[in-house]
């Protein structure tokens, strides 16, 4: 094979460009602290990095949903705790009103306090979170529980303005949780047609009529049933909250794993990369020096 000046120049320039390319590669990695910046660097690795980025973003969205859901159930639990306090007070007042030693005036005073507790209980059930009512089903912008009065302002009933739906949230891929937003559960509809509203009406009428037998019998049992219904819903919400807390722990663990995998795939080993960069710089500088010695007569002509 005949070695000519032209061949030497071409080989030299090709090797010099390769050295420059390697130097540039490690310079870019050191400046970005990333192994790949574009698909041409390593198509397979770039694809994996993009997938990991999407997984991390999805994980972050699930985290936001879980945290919002936990806050939502906290508000629900607080509202039901207040409702339980009100219904417990109504139970005590009903028990007192059934006492035969109380006169009509005493029962009217008890009635006034019962009406006040009914208002407090409905206010608790009408609690909102983030501008949405927590026990309204899917009709979250309308106050779910409304007190109905007659023309004289006397209590008649409690109407429910929401829907009989629970709210479903996706907390992980293929995993959903149901938030207990169906307010009809709190109305506690019975087979005989009675519910929370009719119970309150019957209680207030019995207080007006001084019906101690009914107060100490049927109505005392009914208020106990209403209390148990609220407690049962609160228990179910507590179970949902426990599931959400467990999901939050899994989400955080998955986030750490994803970030670790992403770092192993994309982040550079600073010491190793700097060492490679230094070696490539030595090669590049050596190529320049050798070029000026070997091709003294032809290098400038080639560059022209």
């Amino acid at each position: 094979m005949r070695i000519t000046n032209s061949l030497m120049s071409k080989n030299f320039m090709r090797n010099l460009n390769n050295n420059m390319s390697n130097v540039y590669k490690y310079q870019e990695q050191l400046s970005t602290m990333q192994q790949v910046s574009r698909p041409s660097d390593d198509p397979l690795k770039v694809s994996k990095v993009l997938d990991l980025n999407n997984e991390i973003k999805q994980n972050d969205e699930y985290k936001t949903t879980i945290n919002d859901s936990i806050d939502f159930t906290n508000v629900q639990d607080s509202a039901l705790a207040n409702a339980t306090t009100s219904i417990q007070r109504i139970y005590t007042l009903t028990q007192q009103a059934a006492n035969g030693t109380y006169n009509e005036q005493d029962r009217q005073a008890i009635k006034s306090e019962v009406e006040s507790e009914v208002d407090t209980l409905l206010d608790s059930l009408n609690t909102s979170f983030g501008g949405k009512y927590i026990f309204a089903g899917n009709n979250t912008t309308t106050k779910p529980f409304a007190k109905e009065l007659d023309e004289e302002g006397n209590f008649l009933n409690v109407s429910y303005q929401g829907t009989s739906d629970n709210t479903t949230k996706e907390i992980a891929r293929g995993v959903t949780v149901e938030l207990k937003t169906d307010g009809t559960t709190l109305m506690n509809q019975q087979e005989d047609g009675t519910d929370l509203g009719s119970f309150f009406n019957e209680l207030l009428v019995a207080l007006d009529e001084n019906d101690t037998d009914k107060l100490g019998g049927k109505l005392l049992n009914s208020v106990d049933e209403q209390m148990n219904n609220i407690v049962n819903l609160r228990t179910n919400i507590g179970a949902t909250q426990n599931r959400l807390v467990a999901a939050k722990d899994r989400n955080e663990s998955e986030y750490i794993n994803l970030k670790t995998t992403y770092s192993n795939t994309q982040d550079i080993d600073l010491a190793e990369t700097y060492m490679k960069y230094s070696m490539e710089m030595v090669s590049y500088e050596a190529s320049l020096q050798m070029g000026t010695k070997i091709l003294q007569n032809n290098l400038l002509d080639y560059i022209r």
Side-chain angles (χ1 to χ4, degrees), residues 118-132:
V118 169
D119 289 339
T120 302
L121 185 145
L122 294 180
D123 287 341
S124 298
L125 301 185
N126 284 327
T127 299
S128 63
F129 173 76
K132 298 180 179 180

Side-chain angles (χ1 to χ4, degrees), residues 82 102 133 162:
N82 293 332
Y102 280 65
Y133 291 102

Side-chain angles (χ1 to χ4, degrees), residues 47-283:
S47 176
K48 187 175 181 180
V49 167
L50 292 175
D51 288 341
L52 286 169
N53 262 326
N54 290 333
E55 289 287 339
I56 290 170
K57 289 178 181 178
Q58 187 69 65
N59 176 274
D60 194 52
E61 290 176 6
Y62 286 138
K63 179 181 179 181
T64 300
T65 300
I66 292 170
N67 287 334
D68 287 345
S69 298
I70 290 175
D71 291 340
F72 187 86
T73 55
N74 281 334
V75 172
Q76 285 187 312
D77 182 71
S78 178
L80 291 180
N82 293 332
T84 302
T85 300
S86 295
I87 202 73
Q88 285 175 336
R89 181 56 183 163
I90 291 173
Y91 180 89
T92 301
L93 292 170
T94 303
Q95 198 173 39
Q96 290 176 356
N99 192 325
T101 61
Y102 280 65
N103 57 34
E104 181 178 352
Q105 185 176 358
D106 294 331
R107 290 192 180 88
Q108 286 302 308
I110 289 175
K111 178 186 175 184
S112 296
E113 189 172 351
V114 168
E115 288 176 328
S116 176
E117 289 297 340
V118 169
D119 289 339
T120 302
L121 185 145
L122 294 180
D123 287 341
S124 298
L125 301 185
N126 284 327
T127 299
S128 63
F129 173 76
K132 298 180 179 180
Y133 291 102
I134 61 176
F135 294 117
N138 291 329
N139 191 17
T140 58
T141 58
T142 301
K143 185 180 291 186
F145 297 92
K147 185 170 67 171
E148 297 179 0
L149 305 175
D150 61 17
E151 295 178 354
E152 298 178 357
N154 297 315
F155 180 92
L156 286 178
N157 201 1
V158 172
S159 61
Y160 178 65
Q161 311 296 325
T163 64
S164 56
D165 300 293
N166 289 319
T167 301
T168 301
K169 297 286 187 180
E170 186 176 14
I171 57 175
R173 184 171 296 164
V175 180
T176 59
V177 66
E178 214 174 46
L179 301 181
K180 310 299 182 182
T181 56
D182 178 9
T184 59
T185 304
L186 290 162
M187 290 298 294
N188 197 23
Q189 183 81 37
Q190 302 296 314
E191 293 181 359
D192 60 1
T194 60
D195 58 14
L196 183 66
S198 60
F199 159 70
F200 286 143
N201 177 269
E202 196 173 358
L203 174 60
L204 294 172
V205 170
L207 287 169
D208 275 335
E209 295 176 352
N210 293 300
D211 192 342
T212 55
D213 290 338
K214 197 171 186 179
L215 288 167
K218 176 185 176 182
L219 291 175
L220 198 61
N221 291 331
S222 294
V223 71
D224 190 49
E225 291 174 1
Q226 299 298 337
M227 188 189 310
N228 289 336
N229 181 60
I230 294 174
V231 171
N232 287 339
L233 179 58
R234 189 179 178 190
T235 300
N236 290 334
I237 290 173
T240 301
Q241 188 177 53
N242 289 338
R243 185 182 174 192
L244 288 168
V245 170
K248 181 180 180 180
D249 292 339
R250 289 194 299 272
N251 177 273
E252 291 174 349
S253 177
E254 183 181 357
Y255 177 80
I256 293 173
N257 291 335
L258 287 171
K259 290 296 287 186
T260 300
T261 304
Y262 179 87
S263 178
N264 292 336
T265 305
Q266 176 68 310
D267 295 346
I268 64 171
D269 183 320
L270 185 59
E272 181 182 358
T273 304
Y274 186 79
M275 180 184 68
K276 290 180 178 179
Y277 167 74
S278 299
M279 292 174 63
E280 292 296 339
M281 277 297 297
V282 170
S283 297

